[in-house]
Amino acid sequence: MDLGIKGKRGLVCAASKGLGRGCAEALAEAGVNLVINSRTEADITRTAQEIAAEYGVDVTPVAADITTDEGRSKVLAAVGEADILVSNAGGPPPGQWTDWNRDDFIKAIDSNMLSAIALMQALVPGMMQRGWGRVVNITSQSVRSPIPVLGLSNTARAGLTGFVAGMSRQVASQGVCVNNILPGIHATDRADGLDRGVAQQQGISMEEARKQREAGIPANTYGTAEDFGATCAFLCSQHARFIIGQNILLDGGAFNATM
Ligand code: NAP
């Protein structure tokens, strides 16, 4: 399917690997020129070179922490105007509900709520002026179904979801579609880290921990960054112009509900 976005300009954050990279690759395949970001210079530079070589689009790497004002300024200076924004950042650490103090909550909210809002505030006005834009925020299945050990994530991402629910409807008439994708378990380093935690806690191997977590997914497998990227690229396509303020759950059926 032609996504109709060849030649558009996109920013994908936290994209040297994992879900962010999956989104960057799918957008590059559709002909989108990209600025991609993550903190480790060598990794983001290598990823940019690989994507540019594979898909023949311009890919500019920016090494910066997207959760800080300084990092976002650096990224936004490299982007200028963008037609497409994919917001993403690392997830907060696990723990018990009694573990976290105010500083921990502020850090999680900065990372997984306010940084996405600041990026939208910087880039969406230009999209509205030009009459076309697409935003995808990478959140989590924890927005629909809380993951008890990820209380910081449950909290911060719920805040972003509430903001997007209202804001997406304020910008839609100007041709800007803002949506969230909620990843269930996908095979990335982040998922490996969570498997490792389960393995250590229960004294089992990583493979057993993964099998155990896969058993809770009707599709009986983890998703991949490629699956995830394809959905992101579709939401950024011309075909998605009537999809506004939605929370698209990619979890292999793990959330058990009729609707
Ligand atoms: P991942 O494989 O660990 O990749 C994380 C990427 O983000 C890396 O490129 C990393 O590079 C970059 N990054 C991390 N913190 C950053 C920051 N502050 N500024 C800029 N770049 C940063 O993780 P993932 O699995 O793709 O997860 C992406 C997001 O989806 C996370 O928020 C995660 O919690 C959420 N999620 C993932 C899953 C899953 O199963 N994979 C499920 C639900 C939610 P550097 O370290 O070099 O910066």
Side-chain angles (χ1 to χ4, degrees):
M1 182 192 285
D2 179 3
L3 297 184
I5 49 178
K6 189 169 187 215
K8 298 278 188 197
R9 185 167 172 75
L11 165 62
V12 185
C13 303
S16 66
K17 60 182 181 177
L19 305 181
R21 179 167 180 159
C23 296
E25 293 218 25
L27 288 170
E29 191 175 7
V32 176
N33 296 310
L34 295 170
V35 172
I36 62 170
N37 147 263
S38 69
R39 293 167 301 183
T40 312
E41 181 127 37
D43 290 350
I44 197 67
T45 303
R46 190 181 54 249
T47 298
Q49 285 165 352
E50 287 171 0
I51 295 177
E54 175 80 20
Y55 301 105
V57 293
D58 294 337
V59 186
T60 305
V62 183
D65 183 339
I66 202 67
T67 68
T68 65
D69 286 340
E70 196 192 0
R72 277 191 300 279
S73 299
K74 197 173 162 192
V75 170
L76 289 168
V79 175
E81 298 286 6
D83 308 301
I84 292 169
L85 163 65
V86 180
S87 85
N88 185 24
Q96 291 307 313
W97 65 276
T98 45
D99 288 349
W100 305 304
N101 61 26
R102 186 174 192 280
D103 288 346
D104 298 319
F105 280 103
I106 297 295
K107 191 163 188 285
I109 288 166
D110 268 340
S111 299
N112 297 112
M113 175 182 170
L114 297 180
S115 64
I117 292 174
L119 289 166
M120 288 190 279
Q121 287 175 331
L123 294 174
V124 169
M127 297 178 191
M128 292 169 76
Q129 256 170 19
R130 293 187 298 279
W132 197 95
R134 298 286 185 266
V135 178
V136 171
N137 299 296
I138 299 180
T139 66
S140 171
Q141 63 182 352
S142 68
V143 169
R144 293 289 305 280
S145 177
I147 303 170
V149 294
L150 291 178
L152 292 172
S153 170
N154 298 338
T155 305
R157 297 188 201 276
L160 176 60
T161 306
F163 178 83
V164 167
M167 170 268 186
S168 59
R169 288 162 169 94
Q170 291 177 302
V171 304
S173 67
Q174 307 300 306
V176 181
C177 305
V178 183
N179 294 289
N180 305 318
I181 307 184
L182 286 53
I185 305 176
H186 285 70
T188 67
D189 287 3
R190 167 86 173 163
D192 284 349
L194 295 174
D195 286 349
R196 203 168 297 119
V198 172
Q200 275 163 7
Q201 222 174 32
Q202 301 185 16
I204 55 177
S205 69
M206 282 277 284
E207 289 69 34
E208 285 167 324
R210 181 165 176 163
K211 276 212 173 74
Q212 202 182 89
R213 293 215 296 156
E214 278 175 341
I217 305 172
N220 200 29
T221 180
Y222 287 2
T224 67
E226 292 74 26
D227 302 330
F228 191 90
T231 304
C232 175
F234 179 77
L235 285 176
C236 295
S237 76
Q238 299 293 357
H239 312 297
R241 68 176 196 94
F242 211 46
I243 304 176
I244 304 292
Q246 297 302 301
N247 291 284
I248 311 293
L249 183 60
L250 299 185
D251 72 345
F255 180 63
N256 190 35
T258 303
M259 289 178 60

